[in-house]
Amino acid sequence: MSVADRVSTLGILGASAALVLGMPAIAAPAAPPAPPAVVELKAALIGANEIPGPGDLDGTGSAAVSIDLAAGKLCYTLMVANVEGVTMAHIHKAPTGSMGNVVVPLSPPTSGSSQGCVQIRPELLAGILTTPSDYYVNVHSETNIAGAVRGQLGKGESATPTAQNAKP
């Protein structure tokens, strides 16, 4: 028996023994890729989304939110247009068409834009990541105290404003 025949026979015997012993004959598949370290969320802000509405009907805006669960940090950039006298900005917990409590205070975009980062409890960050559409960004103004523009958070959502809160 040649060397090549012996190597081939050993390979077959080794694979057969592995199968008999319940061991894989080939390498295990690679582990799934790790989730991204930072998750990006967006919201399109318009006055028609305010509950109770209407908010600022010609007001528009966008929110870009980055969540780093490992660091316990939420970073954001807010931009608004046609909203005068901005006073406050927050993330609230409530689905489309409902009002909810403030869960994350944000710096208001008093000059049209604002940005920042805040440390958040891990449970709240996990909740936002699990169901971002249960949270909305709201910007308030002197004229629209209850809210000028609003938009639900979403993964990969367009920043093009569309009315979200119309009830069927």
Side-chain angles (χ1 to χ4, degrees):
M1 185 182 277
S2 72
V3 173
D5 290 337
R6 287 183 189 152
V7 170
S8 176
T9 302
L10 287 175
I12 291 170
L13 289 174
S16 298
L19 289 173
V20 169
L21 296 174
M23 298 169 22
I26 57 172
V38 176
V39 176
E40 304 291 331
L41 303 173
K42 294 182 181 180
L45 311 176
I46 62 173
N49 289 340
E50 286 296 341
I51 301 293
D56 189 326
L57 293 181
D58 68 344
T60 61
S62 63
V65 175
S66 299
I67 294 178
D68 184 338
L69 191 56
K73 185 168 60 170
L74 179 146
C75 295
Y76 62 91
T77 299
L78 301 177
M79 299 182 80
V80 296
N82 302 319
V83 179
E84 301 299 322
V86 170
T87 58
M88 295 183 285
H90 317 282
I91 295 176
H92 296 253
K93 181 173 183 357
T96 299
S98 300
M99 293 173 46
N101 293 326
V102 172
V103 294
V104 181
L106 307 173
S107 295
T110 54
S111 62
S113 66
S114 65
Q115 61 184 28
C117 294
V118 291
Q119 292 296 127
I120 306 293
R121 295 183 332 272
E123 307 81 40
L124 176 56
L125 286 177
I128 295 171
L129 285 173
T130 302
T131 50
S133 62
D134 281 351
Y135 297 83
Y136 66 93
V137 175
N138 204 16
V139 176
H140 304 261
S141 70
E142 294 169 358
T143 307
N144 298 96
I145 297 168
V149 290
R150 166 186 169 153
Q152 299 299 128
L153 287 172
K155 294 179 183 176
E157 294 291 318
S158 166
T160 303
T162 57
Q164 300 168 326
N165 292 328
K167 298 227 181 193

